[in-house]
Amino acid sequence: MTQLQPSFSGKSAIGGENNTSAIGIAIAVFGILTCAAIGVFTAEGGVLIIGAVANNTIIIGIATAGTFLITGLICLSIVGVLVLTVGSRLIGGGLSRAKLEAPEVLGPERVRVGERFNVQYRQAVKGDINVTGITIDLLLREWVRYTSGTDTYTDVHDHLIKRHELRGGLFSRGSIIPQDLRFEIPRNAIHTFPTPQMLEAHKQSEEVQKVMRRNPKLAERMLSQGTLSPTRNNRLSWHVHVQIDIERWPDFNQAFEVPVVADLYSDEGF
Amino acid sequence: MFRNKAKSDIRITIKNGRTIDGLQAFLPNEEVRGEAEIIPENDITVDAIRARLVWYTQGRGDRDMGVVDTVTGPSGFLTGGVPVRMDFTLRLPSAPWSYAGQLITLVWAVQIVVDRDRGLDYDDDQPIIMTPTFETLDPFGS
């Protein structure tokens, strides 16, 4: 058993959309309401709406107030959306980590296609929490990069292979959330792509050697970042994805990569 | 991917393997044996005719590809309308396996390239399948 490496955090892309946490929504709503209030009461004409009902200048006042109101709404709506998207990941993720230590996830160093394997999950609790549910998934992630015009985009699709839905409970500070799980890579599935052998062989290719001769440091950096990979635009990877739902607190989400080798499991071993 | 750029008729026949979904399927590390017939429309001079074993991706992402084995065949003057035949034996590696997913499809193919001394090369390819199980390539029903 070896420590599995964290791969991505946040909810997986099953179903093609990411949800936001309740705290993110609450902050965004608060932001929008605050912005509306500021928009009305800092506007010069805002006072006119309240006080100058019989005055001809009321129309100008309402128009001015409206402009300020709309501007304020737009500005703080943008802030709200930012909070929704970034906040749910960073703030929410950070908050969930305020209650939970980084998990220790032990799994196999490598798995063959068709092979069963065990995952040992241990996570220490920092503060008293009520865990309403724990979901641990085995996922095959398709990751692609594509260009449209001069812009580059990425997209992912997660295939849910196996889901363990586990009961939570009350955990006090200092306790451990323990889970021992068993998964299986289906026999008709695919290995991790690219394979380590493909990456190693690609280092000897003319493309890489050319960059190496020109700028060895740049070549090393590009190799480590995957931009000199033979599969720089298409990747397949296996992950154990953990989601811990905590009552009145942001969820904990983290995936851990499981390397799957291009070898079909048989009883004869590697 | 490799569309015939016309001006030459290329026929590729794979002689071994098993058939899945109308394509020849092979185990990793197996040999792919076959024959190519090239009928140039006009007289041309070629540096070489090459049979290549390639993999490439299809789908949402930009294409990745790799050439894993190459056999070089006849070169020189080819008379228009006169068929040229070339046998090939190519060796598959252990990976990547063929795959059909939601965003990514991994395709293997035997590619014939007519490498002209001037002008555009001609090429065509015959997709094959490489899988260790000979089962469906879409295990997730996507």
PDB file of all heavy atoms in Angstrom, chain A residues 71-105:
ATOM      1  N   THR A  71     -26.321  49.980 -11.723  1.00  0.00           N
ATOM      2  CA  THR A  71     -24.857  49.869 -11.694  1.00  0.00           C
ATOM      3  C   THR A  71     -24.408  49.074 -10.472  1.00  0.00           C
ATOM      4  O   THR A  71     -23.581  48.166 -10.567  1.00  0.00           O
ATOM      5  CB  THR A  71     -24.211  51.280 -11.665  1.00  0.00           C
ATOM      6  OG1 THR A  71     -24.801  52.045 -12.704  1.00  0.00           O
ATOM      7  CG2 THR A  71     -22.711  51.196 -11.865  1.00  0.00           C
ATOM      8  N   GLY A  72     -24.991  49.447  -9.339  1.00  0.00           N
ATOM      9  CA  GLY A  72     -24.636  48.746  -8.101  1.00  0.00           C
ATOM     10  C   GLY A  72     -24.975  47.282  -8.172  1.00  0.00           C
ATOM     11  O   GLY A  72     -24.181  46.421  -7.784  1.00  0.00           O
ATOM     12  N   LEU A  73     -26.146  46.984  -8.720  1.00  0.00           N
ATOM     13  CA  LEU A  73     -26.581  45.579  -8.823  1.00  0.00           C
ATOM     14  C   LEU A  73     -25.631  44.777  -9.711  1.00  0.00           C
ATOM     15  O   LEU A  73     -25.239  43.672  -9.366  1.00  0.00           O
ATOM     16  CB  LEU A  73     -27.998  45.520  -9.404  1.00  0.00           C
ATOM     17  CG  LEU A  73     -29.140  45.657  -8.398  1.00  0.00           C
ATOM     18  CD1 LEU A  73     -30.470  45.758  -9.127  1.00  0.00           C
ATOM     19  CD2 LEU A  73     -29.161  44.480  -7.433  1.00  0.00           C
ATOM     20  N   ILE A  74     -25.285  45.387 -10.846  1.00  0.00           N
ATOM     21  CA  ILE A  74     -24.404  44.679 -11.785  1.00  0.00           C
ATOM     22  C   ILE A  74     -23.059  44.390 -11.118  1.00  0.00           C
ATOM     23  O   ILE A  74     -22.561  43.267 -11.146  1.00  0.00           O
ATOM     24  CB  ILE A  74     -24.222  45.492 -13.089  1.00  0.00           C
ATOM     25  CG1 ILE A  74     -25.537  45.464 -13.882  1.00  0.00           C
ATOM     26  CG2 ILE A  74     -23.085  44.936 -13.939  1.00  0.00           C
ATOM     27  CD1 ILE A  74     -25.581  46.425 -15.048  1.00  0.00           C
ATOM     28  N   CYS A  75     -22.484  45.455 -10.493  1.00  0.00           N
ATOM     29  CA  CYS A  75     -21.156  45.298  -9.864  1.00  0.00           C
ATOM     30  C   CYS A  75     -21.182  44.190  -8.821  1.00  0.00           C
ATOM     31  O   CYS A  75     -20.343  43.289  -8.828  1.00  0.00           O
ATOM     32  CB  CYS A  75     -20.726  46.593  -9.190  1.00  0.00           C
ATOM     33  SG  CYS A  75     -20.320  47.861 -10.378  1.00  0.00           S
ATOM     34  N   LEU A  76     -22.151  44.274  -7.956  1.00  0.00           N
ATOM     35  CA  LEU A  76     -22.131  43.304  -6.863  1.00  0.00           C
ATOM     36  C   LEU A  76     -22.671  41.944  -7.286  1.00  0.00           C
ATOM     37  O   LEU A  76     -22.376  40.937  -6.657  1.00  0.00           O
ATOM     38  CB  LEU A  76     -22.837  43.861  -5.641  1.00  0.00           C
ATOM     39  CG  LEU A  76     -21.945  44.921  -4.955  1.00  0.00           C
ATOM     40  CD1 LEU A  76     -22.684  45.605  -3.822  1.00  0.00           C
ATOM     41  CD2 LEU A  76     -20.642  44.354  -4.453  1.00  0.00           C
ATOM     42  N   SER A  77     -23.412  41.892  -8.383  1.00  0.00           N
ATOM     43  CA  SER A  77     -23.791  40.583  -8.924  1.00  0.00           C
ATOM     44  C   SER A  77     -22.546  39.860  -9.422  1.00  0.00           C
ATOM     45  O   SER A  77     -22.395  38.656  -9.247  1.00  0.00           O
ATOM     46  CB  SER A  77     -24.775  40.740 -10.076  1.00  0.00           C
ATOM     47  OG  SER A  77     -25.968  41.270  -9.582  1.00  0.00           O
ATOM     48  N   ILE A  78     -21.662  40.642 -10.054  1.00  0.00           N
ATOM     49  CA  ILE A  78     -20.397  40.047 -10.530  1.00  0.00           C
ATOM     50  C   ILE A  78     -19.625  39.489  -9.344  1.00  0.00           C
ATOM     51  O   ILE A  78     -19.116  38.371  -9.377  1.00  0.00           O
ATOM     52  CB  ILE A  78     -19.567  41.086 -11.318  1.00  0.00           C
ATOM     53  CG1 ILE A  78     -20.298  41.414 -12.633  1.00  0.00           C
ATOM     54  CG2 ILE A  78     -18.163  40.583 -11.595  1.00  0.00           C
ATOM     55  CD1 ILE A  78     -19.771  42.633 -13.347  1.00  0.00           C
ATOM     56  N   VAL A  79     -19.565  40.291  -8.301  1.00  0.00           N
ATOM     57  CA  VAL A  79     -18.880  39.832  -7.081  1.00  0.00           C
ATOM     58  C   VAL A  79     -19.561  38.570  -6.550  1.00  0.00           C
ATOM     59  O   VAL A  79     -18.899  37.603  -6.164  1.00  0.00           O
ATOM     60  CB  VAL A  79     -18.886  40.934  -5.998  1.00  0.00           C
ATOM     61  CG1 VAL A  79     -18.345  40.414  -4.671  1.00  0.00           C
ATOM     62  CG2 VAL A  79     -18.063  42.128  -6.462  1.00  0.00           C
ATOM     63  N   GLY A  80     -20.895  38.590  -6.594  1.00  0.00           N
ATOM     64  CA  GLY A  80     -21.642  37.426  -6.110  1.00  0.00           C
ATOM     65  C   GLY A  80     -21.323  36.177  -6.897  1.00  0.00           C
ATOM     66  O   GLY A  80     -21.106  35.104  -6.326  1.00  0.00           O
ATOM     67  N   VAL A  81     -21.279  36.316  -8.218  1.00  0.00           N
ATOM     68  CA  VAL A  81     -20.976  35.157  -9.066  1.00  0.00           C
ATOM     69  C   VAL A  81     -19.557  34.654  -8.784  1.00  0.00           C
ATOM     70  O   VAL A  81     -19.307  33.445  -8.715  1.00  0.00           O
ATOM     71  CB  VAL A  81     -21.155  35.523 -10.562  1.00  0.00           C
ATOM     72  CG1 VAL A  81     -20.602  34.421 -11.455  1.00  0.00           C
ATOM     73  CG2 VAL A  81     -22.618  35.751 -10.866  1.00  0.00           C
ATOM     74  N   LEU A  82     -18.626  35.613  -8.614  1.00  0.00           N
ATOM     75  CA  LEU A  82     -17.256  35.227  -8.301  1.00  0.00           C
ATOM     76  C   LEU A  82     -17.190  34.448  -6.994  1.00  0.00           C
ATOM     77  O   LEU A  82     -16.504  33.446  -6.875  1.00  0.00           O
ATOM     78  CB  LEU A  82     -16.350  36.461  -8.220  1.00  0.00           C
ATOM     79  CG  LEU A  82     -15.918  37.044  -9.554  1.00  0.00           C
ATOM     80  CD1 LEU A  82     -15.164  38.343  -9.351  1.00  0.00           C
ATOM     81  CD2 LEU A  82     -15.039  36.058 -10.312  1.00  0.00           C
ATOM     82  N   VAL A  83     -17.940  34.950  -6.039  1.00  0.00           N
ATOM     83  CA  VAL A  83     -17.972  34.259  -4.736  1.00  0.00           C
ATOM     84  C   VAL A  83     -18.553  32.864  -4.905  1.00  0.00           C
ATOM     85  O   VAL A  83     -18.060  31.889  -4.348  1.00  0.00           O
ATOM     86  CB  VAL A  83     -18.788  35.079  -3.711  1.00  0.00           C
ATOM     87  CG1 VAL A  83     -19.070  34.253  -2.457  1.00  0.00           C
ATOM     88  CG2 VAL A  83     -18.038  36.339  -3.332  1.00  0.00           C
ATOM     89  N   LEU A  84     -19.596  32.764  -5.736  1.00  0.00           N
ATOM     90  CA  LEU A  84     -20.218  31.458  -5.973  1.00  0.00           C
ATOM     91  C   LEU A  84     -19.228  30.449  -6.548  1.00  0.00           C
ATOM     92  O   LEU A  84     -19.153  29.311  -6.100  1.00  0.00           O
ATOM     93  CB  LEU A  84     -21.382  31.621  -6.947  1.00  0.00           C
ATOM     94  CG  LEU A  84     -22.747  31.930  -6.361  1.00  0.00           C
ATOM     95  CD1 LEU A  84     -23.694  32.311  -7.483  1.00  0.00           C
ATOM     96  CD2 LEU A  84     -23.293  30.726  -5.612  1.00  0.00           C
ATOM     97  N   THR A  85     -18.517  30.917  -7.571  1.00  0.00           N
ATOM     98  CA  THR A  85     -17.654  29.968  -8.273  1.00  0.00           C
ATOM     99  C   THR A  85     -16.330  29.740  -7.551  1.00  0.00           C
ATOM    100  O   THR A  85     -15.950  28.613  -7.279  1.00  0.00           O
ATOM    101  CB  THR A  85     -17.380  30.454  -9.707  1.00  0.00           C
ATOM    102  OG1 THR A  85     -16.897  31.801  -9.622  1.00  0.00           O
ATOM    103  CG2 THR A  85     -18.613  30.421 -10.561  1.00  0.00           C
ATOM    104  N   VAL A  86     -15.636  30.835  -7.255  1.00  0.00           N
ATOM    105  CA  VAL A  86     -14.321  30.718  -6.611  1.00  0.00           C
ATOM    106  C   VAL A  86     -14.475  30.419  -5.125  1.00  0.00           C
ATOM    107  O   VAL A  86     -13.806  29.548  -4.582  1.00  0.00           O
ATOM    108  CB  VAL A  86     -13.493  32.017  -6.814  1.00  0.00           C
ATOM    109  CG1 VAL A  86     -12.130  31.887  -6.157  1.00  0.00           C
ATOM    110  CG2 VAL A  86     -13.345  32.326  -8.280  1.00  0.00           C
ATOM    111  N   GLY A  87     -15.416  31.125  -4.522  1.00  0.00           N
ATOM    112  CA  GLY A  87     -15.595  30.989  -3.076  1.00  0.00           C
ATOM    113  C   GLY A  87     -15.962  29.586  -2.658  1.00  0.00           C
ATOM    114  O   GLY A  87     -15.457  29.062  -1.675  1.00  0.00           O
ATOM    115  N   SER A  88     -16.829  28.954  -3.428  1.00  0.00           N
ATOM    116  CA  SER A  88     -17.249  27.608  -3.052  1.00  0.00           C
ATOM    117  C   SER A  88     -16.069  26.647  -3.107  1.00  0.00           C
ATOM    118  O   SER A  88     -16.030  25.661  -2.404  1.00  0.00           O
ATOM    119  CB  SER A  88     -18.358  27.118  -3.967  1.00  0.00           C
ATOM    120  OG  SER A  88     -17.884  26.994  -5.277  1.00  0.00           O
ATOM    121  N   ARG A  89     -15.114  26.944  -3.983  1.00  0.00           N
ATOM    122  CA  ARG A  89     -13.949  26.065  -4.100  1.00  0.00           C
ATOM    123  C   ARG A  89     -12.885  26.423  -3.075  1.00  0.00           C
ATOM    124  O   ARG A  89     -12.391  25.571  -2.357  1.00  0.00           O
ATOM    125  CB  ARG A  89     -13.346  26.183  -5.492  1.00  0.00           C
ATOM    126  CG  ARG A  89     -14.301  25.713  -6.551  1.00  0.00           C
ATOM    127  CD  ARG A  89     -13.601  24.971  -7.604  1.00  0.00           C
ATOM    128  NE  ARG A  89     -14.564  24.273  -8.435  1.00  0.00           N
ATOM    129  CZ  ARG A  89     -14.233  23.430  -9.357  1.00  0.00           C
ATOM    130  NH1 ARG A  89     -12.987  23.153  -9.578  1.00  0.00           N
ATOM    131  NH2 ARG A  89     -15.137  22.820 -10.067  1.00  0.00           N
ATOM    132  N   LEU A  90     -12.527  27.733  -3.040  1.00  0.00           N
ATOM    133  CA  LEU A  90     -11.425  28.145  -2.176  1.00  0.00           C
ATOM    134  C   LEU A  90     -11.877  28.332  -0.737  1.00  0.00           C
ATOM    135  O   LEU A  90     -11.356  27.709   0.177  1.00  0.00           O
ATOM    136  CB  LEU A  90     -10.791  29.439  -2.705  1.00  0.00           C
ATOM    137  CG  LEU A  90     -10.154  29.340  -4.085  1.00  0.00           C
ATOM    138  CD1 LEU A  90      -9.563  30.679  -4.492  1.00  0.00           C
ATOM    139  CD2 LEU A  90      -9.085  28.269  -4.119  1.00  0.00           C
ATOM    140  N   ILE A  91     -12.897  29.189  -0.572  1.00  0.00           N
ATOM    141  CA  ILE A  91     -13.340  29.479   0.793  1.00  0.00           C
ATOM    142  C   ILE A  91     -13.971  28.226   1.391  1.00  0.00           C
ATOM    143  O   ILE A  91     -13.641  27.792   2.488  1.00  0.00           O
ATOM    144  CB  ILE A  91     -14.343  30.661   0.809  1.00  0.00           C
ATOM    145  CG1 ILE A  91     -13.687  31.898   0.212  1.00  0.00           C
ATOM    146  CG2 ILE A  91     -14.823  30.936   2.221  1.00  0.00           C
ATOM    147  CD1 ILE A  91     -14.642  33.037  -0.072  1.00  0.00           C
ATOM    148  N   GLY A  92     -14.894  27.610   0.598  1.00  0.00           N
ATOM    149  CA  GLY A  92     -15.569  26.413   1.085  1.00  0.00           C
ATOM    150  C   GLY A  92     -14.586  25.294   1.370  1.00  0.00           C
ATOM    151  O   GLY A  92     -14.634  24.658   2.413  1.00  0.00           O
ATOM    152  N   GLY A  93     -13.655  25.080   0.401  1.00  0.00           N
ATOM    153  CA  GLY A  93     -12.645  24.040   0.583  1.00  0.00           C
ATOM    154  C   GLY A  93     -11.790  24.314   1.790  1.00  0.00           C
ATOM    155  O   GLY A  93     -11.487  23.423   2.582  1.00  0.00           O
ATOM    156  N   GLY A  94     -11.420  25.594   1.942  1.00  0.00           N
ATOM    157  CA  GLY A  94     -10.590  25.978   3.088  1.00  0.00           C
ATOM    158  C   GLY A  94     -11.327  25.801   4.401  1.00  0.00           C
ATOM    159  O   GLY A  94     -10.768  25.310   5.379  1.00  0.00           O
ATOM    160  N   LEU A  95     -12.626  26.152   4.375  1.00  0.00           N
ATOM    161  CA  LEU A  95     -13.422  26.014   5.599  1.00  0.00           C
ATOM    162  C   LEU A  95     -13.570  24.549   5.998  1.00  0.00           C
ATOM    163  O   LEU A  95     -13.490  24.207   7.174  1.00  0.00           O
ATOM    164  CB  LEU A  95     -14.801  26.654   5.403  1.00  0.00           C
ATOM    165  CG  LEU A  95     -14.844  28.176   5.519  1.00  0.00           C
ATOM    166  CD1 LEU A  95     -16.238  28.682   5.202  1.00  0.00           C
ATOM    167  CD2 LEU A  95     -14.421  28.651   6.891  1.00  0.00           C
ATOM    168  N   SER A  96     -13.811  23.697   4.990  1.00  0.00           N
ATOM    169  CA  SER A  96     -13.973  22.285   5.334  1.00  0.00           C
ATOM    170  C   SER A  96     -12.678  21.740   5.922  1.00  0.00           C
ATOM    171  O   SER A  96     -12.707  20.878   6.794  1.00  0.00           O
ATOM    172  CB  SER A  96     -14.387  21.477   4.113  1.00  0.00           C
ATOM    173  OG  SER A  96     -13.339  21.450   3.173  1.00  0.00           O
ATOM    174  N   ARG A  97     -11.560  22.298   5.458  1.00  0.00           N
ATOM    175  CA  ARG A  97     -10.275  21.851   5.989  1.00  0.00           C
ATOM    176  C   ARG A  97     -10.021  22.409   7.391  1.00  0.00           C
ATOM    177  O   ARG A  97      -9.122  21.956   8.086  1.00  0.00           O
ATOM    178  CB  ARG A  97      -9.144  22.230   5.034  1.00  0.00           C
ATOM    179  CG  ARG A  97      -9.051  21.271   3.864  1.00  0.00           C
ATOM    180  CD  ARG A  97      -8.179  21.801   2.734  1.00  0.00           C
ATOM    181  NE  ARG A  97      -7.969  20.798   1.703  1.00  0.00           N
ATOM    182  CZ  ARG A  97      -8.862  20.474   0.766  1.00  0.00           C
ATOM    183  NH1 ARG A  97     -10.027  21.083   0.743  1.00  0.00           N
ATOM    184  NH2 ARG A  97      -8.611  19.548  -0.131  1.00  0.00           N
ATOM    185  N   ALA A  98     -10.814  23.410   7.785  1.00  0.00           N
ATOM    186  CA  ALA A  98     -10.694  23.921   9.150  1.00  0.00           C
ATOM    187  C   ALA A  98     -11.254  22.914  10.146  1.00  0.00           C
ATOM    188  O   ALA A  98     -10.907  22.931  11.322  1.00  0.00           O
ATOM    189  CB  ALA A  98     -11.441  25.240   9.272  1.00  0.00           C
ATOM    190  N   LYS A  99     -12.134  22.045   9.662  1.00  0.00           N
ATOM    191  CA  LYS A  99     -12.727  21.024  10.538  1.00  0.00           C
ATOM    192  C   LYS A  99     -12.059  19.670  10.387  1.00  0.00           C
ATOM    193  O   LYS A  99     -12.242  18.780  11.215  1.00  0.00           O
ATOM    194  CB  LYS A  99     -14.223  20.877  10.210  1.00  0.00           C
ATOM    195  CG  LYS A  99     -15.059  22.090  10.584  1.00  0.00           C
ATOM    196  CD  LYS A  99     -15.370  22.111  12.063  1.00  0.00           C
ATOM    197  CE  LYS A  99     -16.347  23.228  12.408  1.00  0.00           C
ATOM    198  NZ  LYS A  99     -16.584  23.324  13.843  1.00  0.00           N
ATOM    199  N   LEU A 100     -11.350  19.498   9.240  1.00  0.00           N
ATOM    200  CA  LEU A 100     -10.769  18.180   8.952  1.00  0.00           C
ATOM    201  C   LEU A 100      -9.299  18.300   8.598  1.00  0.00           C
ATOM    202  O   LEU A 100      -8.902  19.225   7.889  1.00  0.00           O
ATOM    203  CB  LEU A 100     -11.502  17.535   7.766  1.00  0.00           C
ATOM    204  CG  LEU A 100     -12.986  17.225   7.963  1.00  0.00           C
ATOM    205  CD1 LEU A 100     -13.652  16.949   6.628  1.00  0.00           C
ATOM    206  CD2 LEU A 100     -13.150  16.032   8.895  1.00  0.00           C
ATOM    207  N   GLU A 101      -8.512  17.370   9.082  1.00  0.00           N
ATOM    208  CA  GLU A 101      -7.099  17.304   8.688  1.00  0.00           C
ATOM    209  C   GLU A 101      -7.026  16.784   7.254  1.00  0.00           C
ATOM    210  O   GLU A 101      -8.001  16.253   6.728  1.00  0.00           O
ATOM    211  CB  GLU A 101      -6.341  16.330   9.608  1.00  0.00           C
ATOM    212  CG  GLU A 101      -6.223  16.772  11.044  1.00  0.00           C
ATOM    213  CD  GLU A 101      -5.140  17.833  11.268  1.00  0.00           C
ATOM    214  OE1 GLU A 101      -4.503  18.250  10.280  1.00  0.00           O
ATOM    215  OE2 GLU A 101      -4.966  18.253  12.417  1.00  0.00           O
ATOM    216  N   ALA A 102      -5.859  16.927   6.630  1.00  0.00           N
ATOM    217  CA  ALA A 102      -5.661  16.324   5.310  1.00  0.00           C
ATOM    218  C   ALA A 102      -5.766  14.801   5.468  1.00  0.00           C
ATOM    219  O   ALA A 102      -5.222  14.240   6.413  1.00  0.00           O
ATOM    220  CB  ALA A 102      -4.298  16.704   4.766  1.00  0.00           C
ATOM    221  N   PRO A 103      -6.489  14.148   4.573  1.00  0.00           N
ATOM    222  CA  PRO A 103      -6.681  12.706   4.743  1.00  0.00           C
ATOM    223  C   PRO A 103      -5.440  11.894   4.386  1.00  0.00           C
ATOM    224  O   PRO A 103      -4.600  12.339   3.600  1.00  0.00           O
ATOM    225  CB  PRO A 103      -7.807  12.395   3.754  1.00  0.00           C
ATOM    226  CG  PRO A 103      -7.687  13.438   2.716  1.00  0.00           C
ATOM    227  CD  PRO A 103      -7.155  14.667   3.378  1.00  0.00           C
ATOM    228  N   GLU A 104      -5.360  10.723   4.962  1.00  0.00           N
ATOM    229  CA  GLU A 104      -4.315   9.775   4.578  1.00  0.00           C
ATOM    230  C   GLU A 104      -5.016   8.680   3.786  1.00  0.00           C
ATOM    231  O   GLU A 104      -5.917   8.006   4.308  1.00  0.00           O
ATOM    232  CB  GLU A 104      -3.659   9.191   5.820  1.00  0.00           C
ATOM    233  CG  GLU A 104      -2.488   8.298   5.487  1.00  0.00           C
ATOM    234  CD  GLU A 104      -1.921   7.635   6.734  1.00  0.00           C
ATOM    235  OE1 GLU A 104      -2.467   6.602   7.160  1.00  0.00           O
ATOM    236  OE2 GLU A 104      -0.959   8.180   7.288  1.00  0.00           O
ATOM    237  N   VAL A 105      -4.646   8.550   2.519  1.00  0.00           N
ATOM    238  CA  VAL A 105      -5.325   7.596   1.641  1.00  0.00           C
ATOM    239  C   VAL A 105      -4.301   6.598   1.121  1.00  0.00           C
ATOM    240  O   VAL A 105      -3.395   6.958   0.363  1.00  0.00           O
ATOM    241  CB  VAL A 105      -6.003   8.315   0.452  1.00  0.00           C
ATOM    242  CG1 VAL A 105      -6.856   7.341  -0.351  1.00  0.00           C
ATOM    243  CG2 VAL A 105      -6.872   9.451   0.949  1.00  0.00           C
TER     244      VAL A 105
END
